[in-house]
Amino acid sequence: MSGPILIWGAGAIGGTLGAAFLRAGHEVVFVDNVPDHVAAINAGGLRIDGPIFQDTVRAPAFLPADLQGRFDTIFLCVKALHTEAAVRALAPHLATDGVVVSAQNGLNEIAIAREVGAARTIGCFVNFGADYLEPGVVHYSGHGAVVIGELDGRETDRIRALHRLMQDFEPKAVLTPNIWGYLWGKLIYGALLFATALTNDSIADVLDDPEARGVLTRLGQEVGRVAAAEGVRTEGFDGFAPAAFAPDAPQAALDRSFAEMVAHNRRSAKTHSGIWRDLAIRKRRTEVEAQLGPIAEAAHRNGLPTPLTRRLIEMIMEIESGTRALSAGNLAELARVAGTEVAG
């Protein structure tokens, strides 16, 4: 790697990563499509709040239309629903032998590879807690898994260099030959997070609720079956064990995974998901179609039913449109699709 690291999307994930890279001595350039955020970074720096570290870092920030030059390393850190537009905008700024690192949620590597080629696409999995608070301010609330890998599983010189870079952010960052296993594992966990966002309760409180675990278990099993049909060996992280959601997994494994997920989330200052923040605070579209839609598509290819995933997508979209309120009763309604009972 040479030259500055370009962070495309300076919000929760991108701002946190970029600040850590700057603190480690790397040169960073930020791009964001929110004019007030770009102006605030240029005027007073990017402030990181939270229990991990507090600092104000300084680096140039640009709106996409104002950026010039080409970069060897671009971290794409936008919401999944904005991936295709962002990749088209950043492609002219990607060096011929450069790479795009997908520090996002979902299977965005597929869309990135379609635009810039699989050889210039790097798989990345992140699960740390962070939120965009206001222009120029990001809250870094909790440590979480950070994983990077080549899409084809090879261990190359460039992936080793990128792994060292990620260790400047998270010393426990993992270099994996199975990045798709982590991405699909996160899809299972992500489906659970979308379910928690149907309510106003915290992630930990919903996961810790014995009444909710029936529908959460069925949802996780549904997505897990799709991953298995796709030939993916899912990987666990931060207390989440995908194998515990296999249809024949013992109850003890499920109980242990739920307990560990609860413990991980209670340690974080981030009590609610970014999904919930989008619905309850920012009043904007979530990533539900971009994240969970590919699950339903893969299920269709493999002839598998996904009634819970499809209904969950519909319910989140109803909340987005204002036709459904956030309520614990939403979990009870989802449970009726699964044939389980949740107190509402």
Side-chain angles (χ1 to χ4, degrees), residues 222 296-297 299-300 304-315:
E222 184 176 280
E297 292 168 7
H300 180 73
L304 292 174
T306 50
L308 282 169
T309 303
R310 291 180 181 277
R311 184 59 186 138
L312 178 57
I313 293 171
E314 293 170 352
M315 294 173 78

Side-chain angles (χ1 to χ4, degrees), residues 71-74 94-100 116-117 119-122 158:
F71 299 82
D72 291 330
T73 306
I74 301 178
L94 180 63
T96 302
D97 58 351
V99 295
V100 178
V116 302
R120 296 200 290 173
T121 304
I122 297 292
R158 71 179 186 182

Side-chain angles (χ1 to χ4, degrees), residues 222-251:
E222 184 176 280
V223 181
R225 279 193 291 272
V226 179
E230 288 285 284
V232 175
R233 176 175 53 83
T234 54
E235 301 277 4
F237 57 92
D238 294 335
F240 174 66
F245 288 81
D248 57 350
Q251 185 63 43

Side-chain angles (χ1 to χ4, degrees), residues 6-11 29-33 38 60-65 67 78:
L6 182 64
I7 303 289
W8 197 285
V29 174
F30 290 113
V31 172
D32 202 89
N33 65 355
V38 169
F62 299 90
L63 292 168
L67 181 69
V78 302

